Amino acid sequence: MAAPARVGLRRWLSSRAPAPRICVVGSGPAGFYTAQHILKFLATGFLCSTPSCPAFLPEHHDLAQVDIYEKLPVPFGLVRFGVAPDHPEVKNVINTFTHTARSDRCAYYGNVTVGRDVTVGELQQAYHAVVLSYGAEDNRVLGIPGENLSGVYSARAFVGWYNGLPENRDKTDITDCSLAALACSKVKRVWLAGRRGPLQVAFTIKELREMINLPGTQPVLNPADFTGLENAVKDAPRPRKRLTELMIKTALEKHREKAVMAQAAVPRQWGLKFQRSPQEVLPTADGMRVRGVRMALTRLEGSGDSAKAVPTGDMEELECGLVLSSIGYRSLPLDPAVPFDTQHSIIPNNLGRVMGVPGLYCSGWVKRGPVGVIITTMNDSFDTAQSVLEDLQEGVLDVSVSKEGFGAVGSILRSRGIRPVSFSEWEKIDAAEVARGKAAGKPREKIVDPQEMLQLIGH
């Protein structure tokens, strides 16, 4: 630690400064992991977790408070609304988040939309630090003709539909209505199309195995797509090598030749179409619904993950009655007071510190873009939390002035007719969902209407 910082730290430790008040906007993995890390080190007395920074906080900082705000009545973000219903083990992280939320020094306030019910500026007046962890609530668009035809949806909306996201509830585990719709689905073949080739696919070997082993389905992979790739992946990283080898094996297995002879006996098929770039969604004769997609064939320039897809000039049409665009999520601006990079759909930041706005931070997808899995978000959130802790340590955050935290925000919300949902009230909603699920032989039956949630807890 630099000498000036050490002097500043000693002055702060001896000052008996008021307890820090910190708020986190967003209750998904990024929000909860940020809160968890801040509380962990403020509770133990450690301010910095690295050997080169052996700083401690005085005991009275055990009173530090972290408040989490969420626009929905229910917490957990994409853990609740993004994880597939047939992957319940991934949702076990909710147990950790629940432990954090039940801490005496943490409070959850659902049903509060920051930027509408309360501004970021008002939060900054009430807290020593504000962390924006509200994720990516929109999807990227293809930007091609016909994208708005009936039968064209974003993967985000589709996932939200079967996971019971309130805004997509009319389209969870899987909700009964979604399960019924899928059970009577007439979809027989699904093509996954990508602009680049087998060496650039973004799915994992676990996901590929699950697809290959789907009961009543047959993979359709063209052996010609994998010519020469065995040698190309010899020196590739092990995950990429194993993934490519499994695709090659699936494409070339002799028993697949027999399966082709008995296609009529296989209810459903799925396949991969490489080096295809969508150019237009084609309409039916009445111009109302999708009937297919016109695609440009591409060639690759470069190799590995940096390879770029370049159109060859050739086109093909793929007949289909349903199109799901899965090209990524994107964050949206939250408040005019918060800088926002519209090109990359992120908040400009340095290690989670929002550029040009001291005391304002960000974590998760709104910080770095919609990439990675829960463990990626955990590490990213810890990094942002560490920036908050360092700024407390070095005096960047002035805790000499007491802040009211939710005391001030609660008054603002009451004046605007907003009633927050507490974590104990969420647990009542949770218990009702579990009870409904038990009656249906499921882990839970999600309530998808926010008004029904609020009525359930007497709001």
Side-chain angles (χ1 to χ4, degrees):
M1 185 188 305
R6 188 178 289 115
V7 172
L9 174 62
R10 282 200 299 268
R11 186 182 302 119
W12 181 45
L13 294 180
S14 63
S15 68
R16 304 299 296 175
R21 291 287 181 264
I22 300 165
C23 92
V24 174
V25 178
S27 68
F32 265 106
Y33 277 129
T34 302
Q36 174 188 320
H37 195 72
I38 290 173
L39 289 169
K40 175 182 177 182
F41 287 101
L42 288 179
T44 59
F46 283 103
L47 193 59
C48 188
S49 60
T50 61
S52 61
C53 180
F56 291 85
L57 285 170
E59 290 183 3
H60 72 282
H61 278 91
D62 285 354
L63 300 176
Q65 179 74 28
V66 177
D67 295 338
I68 301 174
Y69 291 89
E70 167 61 48
K71 71 174 184 176
L72 292 174
V74 295
F76 309 133
L78 281 185
V79 179
R80 177 179 169 97
F81 296 118
V83 176
D86 58 346
H87 289 70
E89 71 284 354
V90 179
K91 301 186 182 187
N92 289 338
V93 71
I94 285 176
N95 298 329
T96 302
F97 297 162
T98 297
H99 179 75
T100 297
R102 287 175 175 169
S103 164
D104 291 339
R105 295 180 303 109
C106 183
Y108 167 83
Y109 300 105
N111 195 42
V112 177
T113 300
V114 174
R116 185 192 68 189
D117 301 333
V118 59
T119 68
V120 171
E122 288 168 332
L123 292 178
Q124 289 177 291
Q125 290 294 317
Y127 292 90
H128 294 104
V130 176
V131 186
L132 304 177
S133 307
Y134 61 88
E137 57 182 339
D138 198 9
N139 55 272
R140 299 184 185 278
V141 296
L142 291 167
I144 61 176
E147 190 170 8
N148 295 321
L149 287 170
S150 178
V152 181
Y153 304 94
S154 70
R156 178 187 178 279
F158 183 66
V159 171
W161 167 69
Y162 67 63
N163 264 325
L165 183 64
E167 68 184 72
N168 301 127
R169 64 184 183 271
D170 296 324
K171 291 215 206 156
T172 180
D173 16 56
I174 190 168
T175 60
D176 276 348
C177 61
S178 304
L179 187 61
L182 293 173
C184 65
S185 167
K186 296 180 181 179
V187 175
K188 300 299 182 186
R189 177 175 291 182
V190 175
W191 289 111
L192 287 81
R195 293 173 301 163
R196 300 191 292 173
L199 296 182
Q200 291 80 34
V201 296
F203 52 75
T204 66
I205 192 168
K206 179 182 178 182
E207 291 164 338
L208 178 61
R209 284 200 191 103
E210 289 180 344
M211 290 293 293
I212 292 172
N213 296 324
L214 275 177
T217 65
Q218 175 194 348
V220 181
L221 277 66
N222 185 354
D225 289 333
F226 303 93
T227 302
L229 291 192
E230 285 139 319
N231 291 329
V233 295
K234 279 185 178 178
D235 298 323
R238 189 167 181 266
R240 174 66 67 185
K241 180 180 179 182
R242 292 175 61 229
L243 174 61
T244 306
E245 288 173 345
L246 181 55
M247 285 190 286
I248 294 172
K249 178 184 177 185
T250 305
L252 299 180
E253 274 183 339
K254 290 184 178 179
H255 71 82
R256 296 294 177 203
E257 298 175 1
K258 296 181 180 178
V260 172
M261 302 295 292
Q263 282 186 14
V266 181
R268 294 180 174 89
Q269 296 178 324
W270 66 272
L272 300 172
K273 282 191 175 291
F274 298 109
Q275 295 180 230
R276 305 291 198 280
S277 179
Q279 302 298 299
E280 181 182 0
V281 179
L282 304 173
T284 52
D286 61 6
M288 300 299 292
R289 289 191 56 83
V290 56
R291 68 167 177 85
V293 180
R294 179 175 291 120
M295 296 188 175
L297 277 60
T298 66
R299 58 180 173 82
L300 298 185
E301 289 186 353
S303 60
D305 291 339
S306 62
K308 295 187 180 298
V310 178
T312 63
D314 295 327
M315 296 280 184
E316 74 172 19
E317 291 187 6
L318 180 65
E319 290 187 12
C320 56
L322 175 66
V323 174
L324 298 175
S325 65
S326 182
I327 57 173
Y329 289 34
R330 69 185 183 107
S331 299
L332 298 174
L334 182 72
D335 188 295
V338 181
F340 193 79
D341 180 343
T342 55
Q343 181 178 354
H344 299 98
S345 297
I346 60 172
I347 295 174
N349 70 92
N350 179 18
L351 298 176
R353 298 177 177 92
V354 176
M355 304 292 282
V357 190
L360 191 61
Y361 304 82
C362 57
S363 67
W365 282 3
V366 75
K367 168 187 173 185
R368 71 180 190 279
V371 294
V373 292
I374 289 179
I375 188 69
T376 320
T377 296
M378 181 186 76
N379 292 328
D380 169 84
S381 301
F382 285 0
D383 288 343
T384 292
Q386 197 63 34
S387 292
V388 176
L389 294 171
E390 290 172 2
D391 288 354
L392 279 171
Q393 166 191 308
E394 295 175 8
V396 175
L397 297 176
D398 182 9
V399 293
S400 64
V401 178
S402 180
K403 298 276 190 173
E404 293 185 54
F406 183 73
V409 175
S411 297
I412 293 172
L413 295 176
R414 283 192 297 274
S415 72
R416 295 169 184 168
I418 305 299
R419 293 186 61 184
V421 172
S422 68
F423 199 78
S424 61
E425 289 174 323
W426 144 247
E427 290 181 313
K428 292 179 182 179
I429 299 172
D430 177 51
E433 290 184 343
V434 171
R436 294 182 186 188
K438 185 177 181 180
K442 299 163 56 179
R444 76 172 59 240
E445 180 63 36
K446 288 179 181 170
I447 299 171
V448 298
D449 184 350
Q451 288 306 313
E452 184 180 353
M453 296 176 190
L454 296 177
Q455 289 171 5
L456 182 68
I457 57 177
H459 275 226

